[in-house]
Amino acid sequence: MTHGAAHPGSVPALRLTVLVGEQDLWHHKPLYAEIVHRARAAGLAGASVFRGIEGFGATSVIHTQRLLSLSEELPVTIVVVDAQERVRAFLAQLDELLAGGGLVTLDACEMIAYPAADTDGARPDGSGRG
């Protein structure tokens, strides 16, 4: 398999993926929310939370949206992408937060940031939408 040239403006980055349960808590607050808030406080580029519809973890019990009795402990994935050194610095906080369980993966990737348009549709570089 051959890989093409990098996209103009892309920079090397690291993708951090954290897998936890929807009902996992940190001081009476959802664990996924605490991770997102700490990622923001650490100045990371961004974080997103995705709720799974089915999955299982260390217990091998399948949790699914299809069965009401098992729908409260659905898998949740938090994804953060930023420069490698910033993501690796954040791992110390995850050591504390995931002491009760969880899984973290790290993947090398490329990051391409597109600046947001102003309310009139103009981009910070002066270009417009049409």
Side-chain angles (χ1 to χ4, degrees):
M1 176 162 80
T2 60
H3 296 281
H7 186 280
S10 71
V11 295
L14 196 61
R15 179 178 49 233
L16 165 73
T17 305
V18 182
L19 301 142
V20 297
E22 185 175 27
Q23 296 299 313
D24 292 347
L25 299 175
W26 177 261
H27 297 276
H28 309 289
K29 178 179 173 182
L31 177 59
Y32 62 84
E34 182 66 18
I35 293 170
V36 168
H37 289 263
R38 288 196 186 195
R40 183 172 185 259
L44 294 172
S48 296
V49 178
F50 302 94
R51 183 178 191 233
I53 58 171
E54 185 167 291
F56 70 93
T59 63
S60 295
V61 173
I62 293 180
H63 300 280
T64 178
Q65 202 173 20
R66 293 176 289 146
L67 300 173
L68 289 178
S69 63
L70 297 176
S71 66
E72 294 179 3
E73 183 55 25
L74 293 171
V76 176
T77 302
I78 304 102
V79 177
V80 176
V81 177
D82 206 325
Q84 179 172 317
E85 58 276 2
R86 295 172 65 88
V87 170
R88 290 199 181 276
F90 186 65
L91 291 176
Q93 293 198 50
L94 292 179
D95 290 344
E96 175 189 9
L97 294 172
L98 298 177
L103 178 69
V104 173
T105 63
L106 296 170
D107 301 289
C109 62
E110 291 181 44
M111 183 169 57
I112 304 168
Y114 293 91
D118 292 336
T119 55
D120 64 358
R123 295 191 180 266
D125 64 3
S127 65
R129 291 192 177 167

